Amino acid sequence: DGLTNVVAVAAGRFHNLALRSDGTVAAWVVPQYLDRGVNSQPRVPIDLTNVVAVAAGGFNSLALRADGTVVWWDWGGSTLDVPGGLSNAVGVAMGESHCLALRADGTVVAWGTYLSGKVSSGGTNLAMTVPAGLTNVVAVAAGQNYCLALQADGTILAWGGSFWCGDSSPEENTPFGLTKVQALGGGSCHCLALIGDGPPVLQASVHHPTMTAEGFSVSVSTQSGRVYRLEYKNSLADTDWTALPLVAGTGRERTLTDPTATGAQRFYRVRRW
């Protein structure tokens, strides 16, 4: 009751998550499962703050923080171990019990286990094995025991075990010639792709650039469910952009700031995932 200021939601097999505009997360069980063996409400880690995106699985959940780190926790609210060195994440997704994290460099990390599904002859969960050479990924999604990656050219790559409702694999079921994909999603035994006029747009338009004593700021028209990040270079000759904290889209205009700006020359861009 009283759940307000929600900017993003996620649905798992048994529970739902809601991300509030203040970076906190609410969780609750799907009502019908209270009579089907689920006898408690899911909990959120007590120190979980600064969240910009969420994903839900079976009895566990994921959160992406503004600093690019990922939190994985179980039904009781206890945190679980994520892969060592996982940082600079910009997106998360979950299947039944397996997890995906998208890094800003376009690579994907997968971990966890799933309760059912295809296992390779070597005993490796196929959903955990990210295809060799997978790069230029801009969004991820997951189903019961499979994974989806949207690449910058608007194409989709699928991998993992068979669909929950049959023996066919997600690779076999990806429509031939599917291009111009803008967003994607996965369920137990089905996938969705939003088709646009071209490849996904990775940058956002900025408005009202302002320099004050408190630093530099720009306004951005945002979408709920997306994350945004202001980045800068001191010289266009610099190899890398310096990233500022991630910001959750709200469906409204948001202000992104660089409090470290000193008045010296800087070049800025806004990225979105």
Side-chain angles (χ1 to χ4, degrees), residues 123-137:
T124 301
N125 283 337
L126 295 183
M128 302 303 100
T129 306
V130 178
L134 179 61
T135 58
N136 298 318
V137 177

Side-chain angles (χ1 to χ4, degrees), residues 48-254:
L48 184 61
T49 58
N50 298 318
V51 176
V52 296
V54 289
F59 287 95
N60 48 111
S61 308
L62 276 179
L64 171 65
R65 280 183 164 144
D67 62 0
T69 59
V70 174
V71 181
W72 182 29
W73 72 94
D74 63 19
W75 193 267
S78 298
T79 55
L80 305 170
D81 292 333
V82 302
L86 177 56
S87 61
N88 204 21
V90 294
V92 290
M94 284 205 72
E96 175 71 20
S97 299
H98 69 281
C99 312
L100 294 176
L102 169 64
R103 287 191 173 119
D105 64 0
T107 60
V108 176
V109 179
W111 73 96
T113 57
Y114 53 75
L115 300 179
S116 62
K118 199 176 196 178
V119 177
S120 72
S121 58
T124 301
N125 283 337
L126 295 183
M128 302 303 100
T129 306
V130 178
L134 179 61
T135 58
N136 298 318
V137 177
V138 298
V140 289
Q144 180 80 19
N145 53 16
Y146 66 90
C147 308
L148 298 170
L150 172 60
Q151 296 182 289
D153 63 358
T155 60
I156 291 176
L157 183 66
W159 72 95
S162 58
F163 283 124
W164 176 255
C165 55
D167 293 329
S168 58
S169 70
E171 299 96 325
E172 295 166 341
N173 277 272
T174 302
F176 177 76
L178 184 61
T179 61
K180 300 181 180 179
V181 178
Q182 300 284 313
L184 75 173
S188 290
C189 54
H190 70 285
C191 309
L192 296 174
L194 175 64
I195 308 301
D197 296 326
V201 178
L202 308 179
Q203 296 183 340
S205 299
V206 300
H207 317 280
H208 313 302
T210 304
M211 188 71 185
T212 67
E214 285 73 39
F216 173 79
S217 66
V218 293
S219 296
V220 180
S221 298
T222 67
Q223 294 176 299
S224 296
R226 289 187 177 268
V227 295
Y228 297 77
R229 189 167 75 182
L230 183 63
E231 301 178 348
Y232 69 83
K233 285 183 176 184
N234 291 319
S235 169
L236 289 179
D238 293 344
T239 302
D240 299 318
W241 292 84
T242 298
L244 295 164
L246 295 165
V247 173
T250 63
R252 299 179 180 142
E253 196 163 273
R254 294 209 61 178

Side-chain angles (χ1 to χ4, degrees), residues 10-44:
R13 185 178 181 186
F14 303 107
H15 69 294
N16 304 310
L17 300 175
L19 171 63
R20 298 185 183 97
S21 58
D22 64 358
T24 61
V25 176
W28 67 98
V29 71
V30 178
Q32 61 264 35
Y33 286 110
L34 287 173
D35 299 324
R36 299 182 187 176
V38 178
N39 55 16
S40 65
Q41 290 287 343
R43 296 183 179 180
V44 176

